[in-house]
């Protein structure tokens, strides 16, 4: 069968939050079948568990934030993207501050941490959320329009188009497609970094954002060019980072998706609206398992480690 997966052993990381700039420690621990992914704020007098759920998303300004009873964890999308890309279902994440560390601005460091700990197959079927009919959300009109859509598909395919009026971005590919299982998440997506514009930094910092950001953990652009000395990691790194974010945002539904996701200029807010719109229509989705790996989408069995 296609089985659930957790870690073989715990692993740790230390870094700073992108927006808060605060030092934070993560401890990633194995978890029992059907636990899901749970963040635990261990810096509080009484630790608080925040399970990953679409309706636990409380803020989507430049990142995805989970909350429970007023306790928050910010910027979860890159770690969630790595978990989705590696097929990890069950994980306990102890965190000593309210923001996941940005590390190098991509999911690559999280992939390394998770792979270093080793992945463990569990004696329980993996539960997929299968989209049965198309659900779409839209925002704005004309040149300001944004949209995101989920359609039925036997697999998990993503297509994303960006539209930034900037010479350095325009010179790269602004549309990317990726299919989990057929394509390589680690090779093709995980190293794509978050990006921002130097002209916006002062305004963001005045709002308490991007306090931990810099050239070592983001692509930074001035009015005409990329400022990072080492340039881009992918020719289409800007669009690929949007795919990376979308994979993480969509995994906040609490299950791996069987669907085709497509989007134009979407972001964390619209991605979460899409999940909520899907869940609000019980006839648009179902939970499925695969007792026979041959019935699963191509490549999905390769995401699950051997016993």
């Amino acid at each position: 069968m296609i089985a659930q997966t957790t870690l073989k052993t715990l692993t740790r990381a230390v870094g700073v939050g992108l927006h808060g700039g605060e030092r934070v420690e993560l401890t990633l621990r194995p978890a029992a079948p059907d636990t899901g992914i749970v963040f635990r704020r261990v810096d509080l007098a009484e630790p608080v568990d925040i399970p990953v759920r679409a309706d636990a998303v409380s803020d989507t300004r430049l990142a995805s934030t989970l909350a429970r009873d007023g306790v928050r964890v910010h910027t979860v999308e890159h770690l969630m993207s790595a978990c989705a890309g590696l097929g990890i279902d069950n994980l306990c994440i102890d965190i000593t501050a309210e923001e996941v560390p940005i590390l190098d601005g991509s999911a690559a460091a999280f992939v390394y941490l998770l792979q270093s700990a080793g992945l463990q197959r569990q004696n329980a079927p993996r539960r997929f959320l299968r989209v049965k009919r198309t659900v779409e959300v839209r925002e704005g009109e004309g040149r300001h329009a944004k949209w995101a859509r989920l359609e039925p598909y036997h697999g998990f395919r993503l297509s994303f188009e960006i539209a930034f009026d900037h010479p350095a971005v325009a010179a790269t590919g602004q549309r990317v497609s990726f299919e989990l299982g057929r394509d390589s998440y680690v090779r093709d997506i995980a190293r794509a970094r978050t990006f921002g514009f130097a002209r916006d930094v002062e305004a963001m910092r005045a709002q308490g954002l991007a306090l931990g950001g810099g050239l070592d953990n983001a692509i930074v652009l001035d009015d005409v060019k990329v400022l990072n000395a080492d340039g881009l990691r992918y020719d289409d790194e800007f669009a690929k980072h949007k795919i990376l974010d979308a994979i993480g945002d969509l995994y906040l539904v609490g299950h791996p998706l069987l669907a085709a996701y497509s989007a134009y200029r979407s972001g964390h807010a619209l991605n979460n609206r899409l999940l909520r719109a899907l869940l609000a229509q019980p006839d648009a989705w179902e939970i499925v398992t695969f007792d026979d790996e041959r019935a699963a989408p191509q490549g999905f069995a390769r995401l699950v480690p051997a016993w």
Side-chain angles (χ1 to χ4, degrees):
M1 67 178 175
I2 301 293
Q4 294 179 33
T5 301
T6 190
L7 298 185
K8 286 184 178 179
T9 186
L10 64 81
T11 185
R12 292 187 173 94
V14 178
V16 298
L18 172 64
H19 294 300
E22 186 176 3
R23 183 182 185 275
V24 56
E25 298 178 19
L26 284 184
T27 302
L28 311 178
R29 303 179 184 276
D34 296 319
T35 298
I37 297 176
V38 180
F39 287 86
R40 171 173 257 217
R41 286 284 304 277
V42 297
D43 56 314
L44 305 176
E46 293 187 15
V48 174
D49 289 349
I50 307 176
V52 165
R53 294 172 38 161
D55 61 1
V57 175
S58 65
D59 190 353
T60 51
R61 290 182 305 156
L62 303 178
S64 288
T65 296
L66 296 170
R68 181 182 184 186
D69 299 330
V71 177
R72 291 177 289 274
V73 177
H74 303 292
T75 321
V76 302
E77 60 273 7
H78 297 174
L79 176 51
M80 291 301 300
S81 185
C83 290
L86 296 178
I88 295 174
D89 301 279
N90 303 303
L91 186 64
C92 290
I93 304 167
D94 294 350
I95 185 168
T96 63
E98 65 174 20
E99 187 175 14
V100 174
I102 190 61
L103 301 181
D104 77 338
S106 75
F110 294 120
V111 166
Y112 174 79
L113 285 167
L114 295 166
Q115 289 182 325
S116 296
L119 306 187
Q120 178 65 54
R121 182 170 172 165
Q122 299 176 287
N123 191 22
R126 195 166 202 220
R127 304 181 188 281
F128 296 84
L129 192 155
R130 178 159 62 192
V131 173
K132 297 168 61 179
R133 64 177 177 80
T134 300
V135 175
E136 180 178 291
V137 292
R138 287 184 169 268
E139 179 182 304
E141 298 291 340
R143 61 188 295 268
H144 301 293
K146 305 176 182 180
W147 56 265
R149 178 188 306 131
L150 287 169
E151 300 173 87
Y153 184 70
H154 189 58
F156 185 40
R157 184 180 67 201
L158 303 100
S159 299
F160 202 109
E161 184 174 355
I162 60 176
F164 286 93
D165 184 16
H166 186 284
V169 181
T172 72
Q174 298 202 56
R175 179 177 175 82
V176 171
S177 293
F178 171 80
E179 183 159 353
L180 190 64
R182 293 177 183 263
D183 303 321
S184 170
Y185 174 85
V186 175
R187 181 192 66 217
D188 300 332
I189 301 295
R191 297 179 65 246
R193 293 161 294 175
T194 192
F195 59 94
F197 301 92
R199 63 175 179 265
D200 297 332
V201 169
E202 283 192 26
M204 291 171 65
R205 288 181 173 169
Q207 299 176 58
L209 300 170
L211 300 179
L215 292 170
D216 58 341
N217 55 32
I219 304 168
V220 181
L221 303 102
D222 64 13
D223 290 339
V224 296
K225 65 183 182 299
V226 172
L227 297 179
N228 303 65
D230 57 351
L232 299 179
R233 294 177 175 176
Y234 304 105
D235 290 341
D236 47 5
E237 189 169 359
F238 302 106
K240 280 189 171 178
H241 186 77
K242 288 295 192 176
I243 288 272
L244 185 156
D245 276 350
I247 291 171
D249 288 342
L250 295 175
Y251 207 36
L252 295 174
V253 77
H255 296 277
L257 284 171
L258 295 177
Y261 164 88
S262 53
Y264 176 71
R265 299 180 62 236
S266 186
H268 305 297
L270 210 56
N271 289 338
N272 187 248
R273 275 185 54 201
L274 180 63
L275 290 182
R276 290 176 185 248
L278 173 69
L279 295 176
Q281 303 173 59
D283 63 332
W285 58 274
E286 62 183 347
I287 301 296
V288 300
T289 61
F290 294 101
D291 294 332
D292 185 344
E293 292 182 356
R294 293 171 296 182
Q298 181 180 336
F300 271 43
R302 292 199 302 270
L303 295 174
V304 180
W307 286 104

